[in-house]
Amino acid sequence: MCNTITKIMQHYASICFPIRQSCLLICFQAYEKGLMIAVIPFTSKILEPCRSSIAYRPPNPWTMGILSLLAEIYNLPNLKMNLKFEIEVLFKNLDVDLKDVNPTSLLKDRVCEVEGNPDFSNKDVAASQTQISSGISRSTNHVELQSVISSTSHAVSLPNVLNQYATPHLPSNSMVEDDNVAFMMPKHVSSHTLTQVSPSETALASQSPFSLTQLVKLIPHDEIRCKISSKLGSLGRQLQYSKIMDTALDKAIKEILCPVVEKSVGTAIQNTKKLILKDYALESDNNTIKSSVHSIARTIAGNLAYANCKEPLCVALTDHLQSQIQTLTSNNKTIKQLIDVLINDNLDLGCRIIKSVAMCKVSP
Amino acid sequence: MQLLETIFQKREMFQNLALLLWNSFGIVASLLQEIIVVYPALSPPTLSLGASNRVCNALALLQCIASHSETRTHFLQARIPLYLCAFLETDDKAKQFEYLRLTSLGVIGALVKVDDPKIINFLLENEFVPLCLHNMTIGSELSKTVATFITEKIVVDDAGLAYVCANADRFYAVGAALATVVTSMVDQPSKRLLKHVIRCYLRMSENPRGFAALQTCLPPQLKDGTFNSCLRDDPSGRHLHQQLLVKMTSGKKGGGAGNSAGRMSWG
């Protein structure tokens, strides 16, 4: 036994650890190889002088670390009584209460040899079986730990999937008010894209933010057919009103398109990201995640844009219709009547167009 | 529909309902779905009482999430309050719309109860102040009370006070909304609502520009004793009222200080 201790001391003395800290490492190996019957008394003798040491007395973290491990060993089932006694005496000498020390859990994933182990009392067969089943349960815990890590890996991969949605292609808009700064997204327009713009579009871009040009391309022009009520027949020619309505609707949509789409898409993306990360935390199929993101983001962006654009669109339409109809008649009552009818019939069309643009914008 | 109503009715029985709602698969997404499907019915106003009740049940569950300390941050990061803007903007006075606005205000009210600057900043950035003022103007007494409570919490925050007093337009918008509330109480005073209003004015008077502006736009009803009987048996309310009056009049009687305040340029 003395030779064993000597070998252990020599082995670990070659490492530049404080001698007391080496006790931690010795205890691990001793536990696995059934040598605690030698190492516990050794550790106890090494730690006893800590009581009179200014630096190492409890609650020195090194000392408490070793005591925590000893507390864990003390709680092992079927530990030999003499080893228990040795640990109790040590704690008493250091004026530390065993109950006050939080045991470590460093031995849970370590397997000790059961057969012929002098550290544990295995006088009956039942005790031996307990040891065997304990080993099996430890193995199971290890498997569970691996599956937890696996799940975490899946969760970690989600942000990468969502990043492409988190930064939509929404160039900054200088017209956006300060209050909307929170919704401005980084600009992703490359110089290559800019050089592709035709001269006429370049002229347009110089007069308004590039994003307007881009969003305008998403407008489904084929679907725009303004509705002109027959009630207006008595007030003038339908063809004339149709042209006026087309122009006013086009101008009004372009006027409010950027702020509405930008805000709706920004909110939809932020919200979708939060929901998907929460609801699909354990999903391993990226395609499932992508299709869900796509579906939710489009629905939310479209509906938010629809709800938020109605009032500003109505205001913009009123202004544009007013300026155009005034060239036809100077009767204020007639003008108001015309505007009300035209807006009532076509406001929803404008909202649906903006909704369509928002849904297209949010799709990758 | 029935399940939503059942959860709504039994929400008081669960200590951690908010955590269950937030961490269950698809629940929040379903609640948001209940909200956005009703948007088309807001304008022109075609909302039925049944549909309104359904949305209000969903909003009440969202309020549970907004109230819980562990789910509130997630609620804000997901920008869920922004879904309520469309409801708070409505001005139809029918019962189903009023109930919808009141429940939406309740969600915002749950957020501001904890006096968190981050929440106030979120509301300022996303233009909730005009929505509160709108509801202070057109809402029922209960809606006015909740909206004024939210406004009070906003101006009590340093950033909120700076926001309101940043320019004349904003200040007078808030002042006008508060004045509308005061006027609406002349016939049927509400002690609770009156105290919220007084606290708003007191806080706004702590800003030098706000103090100067209030010299001219503080409602006369607050000075001529109209509400004395209302606050007679409420010591704290009476104290607040007297505090406000003393502050407003001391400015005039302060001599140099008063003159200085009077001469301060505005806007």
Side-chain angles (χ1 to χ4, degrees):
Chain A
M1 182 177 298
C2 291
N3 287 337
T4 303
I5 295 177
T6 304
K7 286 182 181 178
I8 294 174
M9 291 184 67
Q10 287 175 351
H11 176 72
Y12 285 101
S14 66
I15 306 174
C16 298
F17 280 99
I19 187 63
R20 290 184 176 85
Q21 196 65 18
S22 300
C23 293
L24 276 175
L25 303 176
I26 296 174
C27 287
F28 289 139
Q29 194 174 43
Y31 173 77
E32 291 175 340
K33 300 196 170 182
L35 297 175
M36 287 199 296
I37 193 169
V39 170
I40 297 296
F42 170 79
T43 301
S44 182
K45 292 300 177 188
I46 293 292
L47 291 181
E48 199 169 316
C50 290
R51 181 184 180 186
S52 56
S53 166
I54 295 177
Y56 288 103
R57 76 159 66 105
N60 173 281
W62 286 329
T63 305
M64 295 309 297
I66 300 173
L67 293 182
S68 297
L69 177 59
L70 290 176
E72 182 181 1
I73 293 173
Y74 181 85
N75 292 325
L76 292 173
N78 295 314
L79 187 68
K80 275 275 184 67
M81 188 57 62
N82 60 321
L83 293 179
K84 274 183 177 289
F85 182 74
E86 194 73 39
I87 295 174
E88 284 181 16
V89 170
L90 172 63
F91 274 79
K92 190 171 183 179
N93 288 338
L94 296 179
D95 290 327
V96 177
D97 193 339
L98 248 167
K99 300 168 186 173
D100 293 340
V101 177
N102 289 325
T104 61
S105 54
L106 301 172
L107 301 179
K108 285 183 178 177
D109 53 345
R110 292 174 180 271
V111 180
C112 67
E113 300 168 4
V114 176
E115 185 176 341
N117 191 326
D119 301 332
F120 300 93
S121 56
N122 50 358
K123 297 175 181 177
D124 53 355
V125 177
S128 297
Q129 287 177 351
T130 302
Q131 287 295 318
I132 295 171
S133 66
S134 182
I136 294 174
S137 68
R138 288 199 190 94
S139 178
T140 303
N141 289 338
H142 195 62
V143 171
E144 288 174 3
L145 183 61
Q146 267 188 335
S147 69
V148 171
I149 294 174
S150 179
S151 298
T152 305
S153 299
H154 288 312
V156 167
S157 70
L158 273 179
N160 294 328
V161 174
L162 290 173
N163 275 341
Q164 55 184 297
Y165 298 95
T167 55
H169 196 202
L170 278 177
S172 61
N173 184 347
S174 60
M175 291 196 302
V176 176
E177 298 178 6
D178 290 344
D179 290 340
N180 290 328
V181 167
F183 296 106
M184 292 174 69
M185 300 292 181
K187 190 165 185 175
H188 287 302
V189 180
S190 66
S191 58
H192 175 73
T193 303
L194 284 172
T195 57
Q196 294 297 311
V197 176
S198 68
S200 63
E201 285 178 329
T202 301
L204 182 59
S206 66
Q207 297 172 7
S208 62
F210 180 83
S211 61
L212 178 59
T213 303
Q214 195 182 41
L215 290 179
V216 165
K217 292 177 182 176
L218 298 174
I219 295 179
H221 289 285
D222 294 343
E223 300 174 15
I224 302 180
R225 285 190 200 83
C226 295
K227 178 182 177 184
I228 306 300
S229 169
S230 56
K231 287 184 287 183
L232 298 180
S234 62
L235 297 172
R237 287 180 294 110
Q238 274 201 354
L239 181 60
Q240 198 173 30
Y241 294 127
S242 179
K243 189 179 293 183
I244 288 174
M245 190 66 221
D246 283 344
T247 305
L249 188 61
D250 187 57
K251 288 181 177 178
I253 287 177
K254 286 179 178 174
E255 188 172 299
I256 71 166
L257 191 60
C258 286
V260 169
V261 169
E262 191 164 336
K263 180 170 182 177
S264 302
V265 171
T267 301
I269 285 167
Q270 191 76 18
N271 185 238
T272 302
K273 178 179 181 180
K274 196 74 184 178
L275 291 183
I276 294 294
L277 283 173
K278 169 179 78 69
D279 285 346
Y280 287 84
L282 300 181
E283 177 63 59
S284 60
D285 183 359
N286 276 358
N287 289 327
T288 301
I289 297 172
K290 285 180 180 177
S291 65
S292 297
V293 168
H294 184 81
S295 172
I296 294 179
R298 272 176 58 92
T299 302
I300 293 176
N303 283 278
L304 279 178
Y306 185 92
N308 291 328
C309 75
K310 194 160 280 193
E311 187 182 336
L313 183 61
C314 187
V315 171
L317 271 177
T318 302
D319 291 344
H320 288 294
L321 286 174
Q322 179 124 7
S323 64
Q324 291 193 68
I325 293 180
Q326 270 176 348
T327 62
L328 300 182
T329 174
S330 59
N331 187 331
N332 283 333
K333 190 173 288 185
T334 304
I335 291 176
K336 188 176 189 319
Q337 191 178 351
L338 283 169
I339 291 175
D340 285 347
V341 172
L342 287 170
I343 289 183
N344 282 337
D345 289 343
N346 296 286
L347 182 61
D348 194 63
L349 170 64
C351 292
R352 278 189 278 111
I353 291 170
I354 291 174
K355 175 179 180 178
S356 169
V357 172
M359 293 175 77
C360 289
K361 190 60 196 173
V362 84
S363 301
Chain B
M1 173 68 178
Q2 204 153 3
L3 179 60
L4 185 63
E5 191 170 355
T6 302
I7 298 178
F8 168 74
Q9 289 170 352
K10 300 185 180 233
R11 68 193 187 285
E12 305 292 345
M13 299 170 57
F14 296 95
Q15 186 74 21
N16 285 320
L17 179 60
L19 287 171
L20 291 172
L21 290 173
W22 180 261
N23 289 299
S24 297
F25 179 89
I27 296 294
V28 174
S30 300
L31 295 177
L32 293 180
Q33 180 72 18
E34 293 291 328
I35 290 174
I36 60 181
V37 297
V38 85
Y39 281 164
L42 300 180
S43 172
T46 59
L47 185 68
S48 68
L49 197 55
S52 175
N53 280 336
R54 185 189 177 109
V55 179
C56 289
N57 288 341
L59 292 175
L61 296 180
L62 287 179
Q63 182 172 335
C64 291
I65 298 175
S67 299
H68 198 277
S69 57
E70 293 184 39
T71 54
R72 183 182 301 114
T73 301
H74 296 302
F75 186 83
L76 221 60
Q77 287 172 356
R79 296 184 198 268
I80 294 177
L82 296 183
Y83 290 83
L84 313 180
C85 295
F87 300 148
L88 294 169
E89 281 169 357
T90 62
D91 48 27
D92 192 301
K93 301 226 175 183
K95 180 171 42 173
Q96 56 266 35
F97 282 92
E98 175 58 30
Y99 190 39
L100 195 58
R101 287 191 296 267
L102 177 59
T103 311
S104 301
L105 288 169
V107 177
I108 307 300
L111 285 174
V112 300
K113 269 181 181 174
V114 295
D115 295 328
D116 187 345
K118 272 176 282 178
I119 292 175
I120 302 299
N121 275 309
F122 177 90
L123 297 180
L124 297 177
E125 286 170 5
N126 294 285
E127 300 182 42
F128 275 87
V129 171
L131 297 175
C132 285
L133 304 184
H134 174 67
N135 282 271
M136 287 164 67
T137 303
I138 72 160
S140 66
E141 179 187 313
L142 200 48
S143 287
K144 280 178 157 67
T145 304
V146 181
T148 308
F149 167 76
I150 296 170
T151 303
E152 178 195 332
K153 286 293 184 179
I154 289 175
V155 297
V156 160
D157 180 81
D158 289 335
L161 180 61
Y163 175 95
V164 164
C165 298
N167 60 60
D169 285 347
R170 283 186 190 158
F171 184 91
Y172 281 110
V174 176
L178 289 169
T180 302
V181 171
V182 171
T183 303
S184 74
M185 280 196 289
V186 169
D187 293 333
Q188 299 176 17
S190 160
K191 200 181 310 177
R192 181 180 166 196
L193 178 50
L194 181 58
K195 285 158 71 175
H196 285 317
V197 169
I198 294 175
R199 283 194 203 97
C200 284
Y201 279 128
L202 270 172
R203 176 60 175 166
M204 287 159 74
S205 69
E206 291 176 20
N207 180 288
R209 305 171 73 179
F211 179 81
L214 282 177
Q215 298 292 319
T216 58
C217 75
L218 190 70
Q221 294 92 340
L222 289 178
K223 297 183 266 191
D224 62 13
T226 299
F227 298 111
N228 285 354
S229 59
C230 171
L231 297 172
R232 178 177 298 119
D233 54 353
D234 189 327
S236 68
R238 199 160 4 100
H239 176 69
L240 284 172
H241 191 211
Q242 290 173 354
Q243 204 176 328
L244 178 63
L245 292 180
V246 166
K247 195 159 192 178
M248 288 298 109
T249 55
S250 71
K252 296 176 180 175
K253 298 177 180 176
N259 290 339
S260 175
R263 279 198 299 266
M264 182 179 294
S265 64
W266 175 252

